[in-house]
Amino acid sequence: MGIGKLILVDLDTIETSNLSRQMLFRPGDEGRPKAEVAAERLKEMNPYLNIDFYFEKLQKLSMSVYEESDVVVAALDNFNARLDLNKICLRMKKPMVEGGTVGFEGHVQIVIPEGTGLRYKNKKNEIENLVEARLWEITDTEYPDYYRAQREIELLEEEIERIKNARIYPIVNKIKKEIELVFDWKYAPEFLDQTPCYRCLVPIPPADDKLVAACTLKGLPRNRNHCVIKAEVEFEKKYSHKPDLNLNDEVLKLMEIAQVELENLRERVFNENVPSEERDSLTKEQIEDWKKNIRETFGPDYKFEEMENILGNKIAAIQTVSSIISSIQSQEALKLLFRVNGRNIGPPMDPPYVNYNGIYGQFDHLNILKRDDCLACGKIEGEENVQIVVPFDANVGYIFEAMEISGHMLDSELWMITNPMTKEIYWNPYMPSLKDPEVKLTSLKIKSNDIVTLSPLGKALAESEIKKFNVVIAFM
Amino acid sequence: MTEKIEDVVKARMYARQQLIDGWDQDIINEGCIIIIGVGALRIL
């Protein structure tokens, strides 16, 4: 990850059994010191890393080595070594991240010694905890009303429990028995043997990236991403091929074109906001303020890495979280592998969806639901939901173009477009009065995120597997 | 009893996981898992 310096300490040598799970070691390394080989491999992965290694006991290591470290990570294999390291960290006032595994279980413990100056706990929560502790200590004579109130609450709670026993639980138990009688044949197949599918969570897939690019090309770039998309097209026109983002000089040429587009965008926005006739009445400082604001709105000049990030539609990613998620995936795959082969080393996770938040170190299991109207696993057949992005001045004909870009080639002579709510017909190839591709969507009062329905007619009705497209239209 | 050198190495490599209750190395050896997409773990 590019940390300035790593210090590796280990007294062990590599054994064959380490090779299946300690990813830095390979066959042939057996017998060599772990610290040395790990340093070698990390250096191969990132030659810029500064790594020291020590093939000796942690207890024998010079205190100056600990002193040099900001954080101590403990990945030990016995209690005594952990206890000794703990002692050293407390003495040296070094935060320690302790970790270990046994079978399928693992733990991580953060140890922050007194005097490190690291603010760890939340002041508000700590005050609440102290208040809670103090409340346990107060006496009846000190706060008699507090005690009276507590007794009243206890009586109310007893009364609630009595009502539940007399009037709620009998009904709950009766319904429970009814469900138990039919559960095996009525509910078990749906509840026990399957989970919601991926499409249940994504009923309307996001619009295809190509649609956004197509919109950008139809109009002038309106943000810094548009400028790069436009630059890619200009590059292709100029050099007769798309830029190869692995070649530095091509990325630089692309960046040059994108920069010109960005400057044109800034200029256009300046001219729109400060018309030439108004400019004479503004001071030099006011004009500079406008330019500064526009610069801040559309961001600074491009950086090299932005080209690939924008064109590749890259999103932020960090290896640590990837490792955690891929590890959970591997774990689930392993359990399922046993299960499909009639063996059991543990059930698949239930609920079947876990969210991990690396910032808070928190795993949340989400109780996801199977959708009856799911287009992949539900009861609805012959429908598809599509989201399209269209330019502000798009016309009815563009809906067919956008559907084609989204991967659904529909013959406009055989499909009808209607409003599912009002039943208004926007396009009917059999009626000349409703067959004008130039009619603007805005003139039909279609707003962003409105839904239109595309239905097949004639030959398409017989041939198309999909009998209804529910199309969400988003203006860009 | 394992005889071939390769089997002995494998037995050593997989020694620890076999201590897990219910583990059956043969199932792993015979199993097939397909991984679609490698590395990126992107959401969109």
Side-chain angles (χ1 to χ4, degrees):
Chain A
M1 289 176 69
I3 190 163
K5 184 169 183 178
L6 272 179
I7 302 169
L8 305 177
V9 182
D10 202 303
L11 184 66
D12 274 349
T13 53
I14 297 164
E15 294 171 18
T16 309
S17 69
N18 299 145
L19 301 182
S20 64
R21 66 187 193 286
Q22 297 180 16
M23 308 314 286
L24 295 173
F25 310 139
R26 305 171 189 155
D29 289 338
E30 293 93 328
R32 294 184 63 200
K34 283 184 177 177
E36 183 186 358
V37 177
E40 206 175 37
R41 297 286 145 72
L42 288 171
K43 197 87 181 160
E44 278 173 20
M45 288 178 188
N46 183 351
Y48 302 106
L49 267 182
N50 179 7
I51 309 179
D52 282 355
F53 67 88
Y54 296 90
F55 178 43
E56 65 177 319
K57 279 189 157 190
L58 69 95
Q59 297 89 338
K60 294 261 177 78
L61 206 61
S62 158
M63 288 300 128
S64 64
V65 178
Y66 290 106
E67 186 54 54
E68 194 186 348
S69 315
D70 294 311
V71 178
V72 178
V73 177
L76 295 159
D77 62 359
N78 67 79
F79 283 107
N80 287 333
R82 283 188 169 90
L83 292 170
D84 287 344
L85 184 60
N86 186 55
K87 210 187 283 177
I88 292 168
C89 288
L90 292 177
R91 198 165 70 224
M92 305 293 291
K93 301 191 192 313
K94 294 289 175 186
M96 177 172 81
V97 184
E98 208 284 298
T101 63
V102 53
F104 283 155
E105 310 223 355
H107 75 269
V108 174
Q109 183 187 356
I110 310 293
V111 179
I112 298 178
E114 188 185 357
T116 53
L118 293 171
R119 171 63 62 86
Y120 172 57
K121 289 192 176 174
N122 177 299
K123 183 178 173 183
K124 204 173 148 193
N125 290 348
E126 291 310 300
I127 290 173
E128 290 296 321
N129 290 343
L130 290 169
V131 170
E132 198 63 30
R134 177 77 184 94
L135 285 173
W136 280 103
E137 289 166 1
I138 62 173
T139 61
D140 199 350
T141 45
E142 201 180 354
Y143 291 100
D145 196 43
Y146 179 83
Y147 272 78
R148 267 197 303 277
Q150 289 287 14
R151 275 192 292 276
E152 282 170 31
I153 289 169
E154 275 169 29
L155 288 174
L156 287 171
E157 282 172 348
E158 279 170 20
E159 179 63 7
I160 289 168
E161 201 51 36
R162 193 192 60 74
I163 294 171
K164 278 185 180 172
N165 284 328
R167 293 156 61 192
I168 302 287
Y169 293 146
I171 294 168
V172 171
N173 289 334
K174 182 175 174 286
I175 291 171
K176 192 176 171 189
K177 274 185 187 146
E178 285 167 9
I179 288 176
E180 277 172 350
L181 276 175
V182 296
F183 185 86
D184 285 347
W185 64 268
K186 194 171 178 183
Y187 298 108
E190 189 182 339
F191 289 177
L192 298 185
D193 303 341
Q194 62 175 308
T195 66
C197 77
Y198 179 72
R199 186 72 196 259
C200 288
L201 305 191
V202 192
I204 304 169
D208 196 297
D209 290 343
K210 289 197 258 344
L211 277 168
V212 179
C215 285
T216 309
L217 298 179
K218 281 198 169 280
L220 290 164
R222 288 185 295 107
N223 63 36
R224 64 188 285 118
N225 285 15
H226 293 173
C227 291
V228 179
I229 295 167
K230 183 107 184 182
E232 190 188 29
V233 177
E234 296 300 324
F235 182 101
E236 198 174 351
K237 275 187 203 161
K238 196 170 172 184
Y239 300 105
S240 308
H241 66 275
K242 283 198 171 215
D244 182 342
L245 299 176
N246 294 315
L247 300 176
N248 293 347
D249 61 328
E250 295 211 350
V251 176
L252 286 170
K253 282 176 190 161
L254 175 70
M255 195 168 78
E256 236 172 68
I257 302 171
Q259 189 61 39
V260 172
E261 291 290 341
L262 182 64
E263 274 153 27
N264 289 343
L265 170 64
R266 289 170 180 157
E267 186 73 25
R268 267 198 311 278
V269 173
F270 178 77
N271 291 338
E272 279 165 19
N273 286 281
V274 191
S276 52
E277 60 271 20
E278 278 180 27
R279 253 169 254 172
D280 294 340
S281 62
L282 296 175
T283 63
K284 205 177 162 189
E285 287 75 30
Q286 283 171 317
I287 287 178
E288 279 311 307
D289 269 356
W290 264 108
K291 289 191 171 169
K292 195 176 152 223
N293 280 342
I294 291 168
R295 230 181 152 75
E296 279 168 8
T297 305
F298 296 107
D301 292 353
Y302 287 114
K303 287 182 184 161
F304 186 90
E305 65 273 18
E306 260 184 291
M307 299 300 107
E308 193 178 353
N309 279 348
I310 292 170
L311 291 180
N313 195 25
K314 304 285 188 210
I315 58 167
I318 185 162
Q319 182 60 46
T320 48
V321 175
S322 300
S323 298
I324 289 163
I325 298 303
S326 57
S327 300
I328 295 171
Q329 287 177 297
S330 306
Q331 183 72 87
E332 292 304 312
L334 181 66
K335 288 187 289 180
L336 289 167
L337 176 65
F338 273 90
R339 194 155 277 239
V340 297
N341 285 286
R343 296 293 290 266
N344 182 19
I345 54 164
M349 64 182 187
D350 179 29
Y353 190 103
V354 65
N355 216 35
Y356 167 70
N357 184 320
I359 300 298
Y360 298 103
Q362 187 171 324
F363 290 95
D364 291 310
H365 282 272
L366 304 182
N367 204 5
I368 54 173
L369 297 176
K370 190 166 152 48
R371 293 175 68 113
D372 281 341
D373 63 349
C374 175
L375 297 183
C377 72
K379 296 188 177 92
I380 291 179
E381 280 181 14
E383 281 193 33
E384 186 52 89
N385 298 337
V386 180
Q387 187 169 179
I388 59 171
V389 179
V390 303
F392 275 107
D393 60 348
N395 53 34
V396 173
Y398 189 75
I399 292 179
F400 287 104
E401 269 183 60
M403 288 298 284
E404 189 179 339
I405 296 170
S406 303
H408 305 286
M409 184 116 152
L410 307 179
D411 185 347
S412 60
E413 295 296 322
L414 293 170
W415 287 79
M416 185 164 75
I417 305 175
T418 53
N419 181 323
M421 306 295 282
T422 63
K423 307 294 173 204
E424 188 184 350
I425 300 172
Y426 297 139
W427 173 269
N428 185 337
Y430 296 165
M431 296 171 70
S433 62
L434 292 167
K435 201 187 166 190
D436 180 0
E438 298 303 325
V439 174
K440 301 278 183 213
L441 298 183
T442 44
S443 72
L444 295 170
K445 306 266 185 299
I446 293 175
K447 301 182 298 300
S448 204
N449 295 321
D450 275 359
I451 296 174
V452 297
T453 301
L454 271 71
S455 320
L457 301 167
K459 200 169 71 162
L461 185 60
E463 289 177 357
S464 174
E465 277 181 20
I466 295 173
K467 308 296 180 203
K468 187 179 168 194
F469 281 99
N470 305 303
V471 180
V472 183
I473 297 180
F475 285 101
M476 187 181 150
Chain B
M1 189 181 152
T2 47
E3 289 169 0
K4 287 188 216 160
I5 293 291
E6 192 188 313
D7 289 344
V8 172
V9 174
K10 272 188 183 172
R12 284 190 193 279
M13 274 178 71
Y14 305 139
R16 299 286 179 84
Q17 58 219 42
Q18 309 232 27
L19 296 173
I20 289 170
D21 281 345
W23 193 272
D24 183 343
Q25 191 59 41
D26 287 342
I27 285 180
I28 306 291
N29 293 344
E30 300 292 320
C32 173
I33 290 174
I34 182 167
I35 301 173
I36 312 288
V38 179
L41 285 171
R42 285 177 53 156
I43 297 169
L44 287 175

